Amino acid sequence: MFTTIVVGALSAFAVVQQADTTIPVREGMRLDLQNRSGEIHVTVWQRDAVRIIAGGSYERGFSVEQRGSVLRVSVSYRRDRRRDDERRWDRDEDWDRIEDFEVTVPPYMDVDLRGNYGDITVVGTRGDVRVDTNEGEVDVRGGDGFISLRSVEGTVQLEGARGRVDVSSVDGDVEIRGVSGEITVESVDGDIDLTDISARSVMATTVDGDVTFDGDIQEGGRYELSTHDGDIRARVPSGADATVTVSTYEGEFETNFPIVLRKSGRRRFTFTLGDGSATFDLEAFDGSIFLRRGA
């Protein structure tokens, strides 16, 4: 079944039981999709419309609502008839039912996706991207503007984005590749891998994991890499200009090029690369720090 819903200028509302729905949109609008249990996959097409295909182990239907510039999509829950007399929802049953979403949006559209159980992927967008899930992996390729990705239990991957990036995972690794702008990354029980980075500001910290950095060091930039119970491996380009500060309490520090260390504390050292214009801080409490210089 294919359904087209014409959304008015101010607001519109529809409940879809068979989920293959296309809604006209315009530039400047944002997709807000919330799904309790199931996957969300977002891709792009060259049409001023959003297509939503829903399916899974139980088709609950979903609601589509526009308020101003926000197109909101949420799963519809049905009342359990056995409990109508109690006037309550069968929350335990509903929680276990799965609804997966395949969504196609214009490249310019901002997306805001939230879930509890299920993976979330976004491919090809050029707007803001916000993803928040409890148990599931996050995989985003693209994005231009503000990129906020969070998972409690799951790996977070980001590739090819530009702008202000804020990524975190409590119990999972974070992998960022080919990203430019300003980057903030946090993990509690996972590794952080930053590859092919071109950013003026990078702050990456994890408690129980390794931190890897391979990227540009820009003039006047600030870079902070830290871990409590892991190692730091950083590669900087030849000819980089940075004042490097190294702090390691229970580990070693190693480079593949000659440096002159200046001690600034019991286990804290500094040295200069080039004119030292950027700030590059490396800190590991119970781990070692390895600094390499390459092309």
Side-chain angles (χ1 to χ4, degrees), residues 177-215:
R177 181 181 299 272
V179 172
S180 61
E182 300 179 4
I183 301 172
T184 301
V185 190
E186 293 182 333
S187 181
V188 176
D189 191 18
D191 298 334
I192 296 175
D193 188 352
L194 307 173
T195 305
D196 191 20
I197 301 300
S198 180
R200 185 175 176 81
S201 173
V202 175
M203 288 186 289
T205 179
T206 181
V207 176
D208 190 13
D210 298 334
V211 179
T212 302
F213 175 85
D214 187 348

Side-chain angles (χ1 to χ4, degrees), residues 79-88:
R79 191 182 298 277
D80 187 344
R81 294 178 182 176
R82 295 171 300 174
R83 300 195 178 189
D84 273 352
D85 56 339
E86 300 178 23
R87 299 181 180 277
R88 60 185 293 184

Side-chain angles (χ1 to χ4, degrees), residues 24-86:
V25 295
R26 63 183 182 275
E27 194 161 353
M29 292 186 64
R30 172 169 59 89
L31 173 69
D32 185 332
L33 194 159
Q34 183 173 5
N35 188 22
R36 281 188 174 181
S37 182
E39 298 182 352
I40 303 173
H41 301 283
V42 177
T43 55
V44 301
W45 63 357
Q46 300 302 317
R47 292 181 57 184
D48 293 322
V50 173
R51 185 180 183 185
I52 305 164
I53 301 174
S57 64
Y58 178 77
E59 291 187 356
R60 292 170 290 195
F62 61 89
S63 65
V64 179
E65 180 181 11
Q66 182 188 349
R67 290 179 180 249
S69 62
V70 178
L71 185 70
R72 182 166 290 111
V73 180
S74 57
V75 173
S76 303
Y77 292 88
R78 295 190 236 174
R79 191 182 298 277
D80 187 344
R81 294 178 182 176
R82 295 171 300 174
R83 300 195 178 189
D84 273 352
D85 56 339
E86 300 178 23

Side-chain angles (χ1 to χ4, degrees), residues 160-172:
R162 298 185 304 174
R164 186 160 60 93
V165 173
D166 189 349
V167 178
S168 69
S169 178
V170 176
D171 189 13

Side-chain angles (χ1 to χ4, degrees), residues 170-275:
V170 176
D171 189 13
D173 298 336
V174 176
E175 301 173 11
I176 298 180
R177 181 181 299 272
V179 172
S180 61
E182 300 179 4
I183 301 172
T184 301
V185 190
E186 293 182 333
S187 181
V188 176
D189 191 18
D191 298 334
I192 296 175
D193 188 352
L194 307 173
T195 305
D196 191 20
I197 301 300
S198 180
R200 185 175 176 81
S201 173
V202 175
M203 288 186 289
T205 179
T206 181
V207 176
D208 190 13
D210 298 334
V211 179
T212 302
F213 175 85
D214 187 348
D216 294 339
I217 303 298
Q218 298 185 8
E219 183 178 358
R222 184 167 185 83
Y223 308 84
E224 299 179 9
L225 313 178
S226 66
T227 177
H228 187 277
D229 192 18
D231 296 333
I232 294 177
R233 293 176 174 84
R235 181 185 297 275
V236 298
S238 299
D241 298 315
T243 299
V244 182
T245 301
V246 177
S247 302
T248 178
Y249 300 93
E250 298 293 337
E252 303 296 329
F253 173 58
E254 180 183 308
T255 71
N256 68 342
F257 56 94
I259 57 174
V260 178
L261 291 175
R262 300 191 304 274
K263 193 169 184 179
S264 58
R266 181 182 175 188
R267 297 289 289 173
R268 185 180 178 90
F269 305 88
T270 63
F271 60 93
T272 302
L273 300 177
D275 64 18

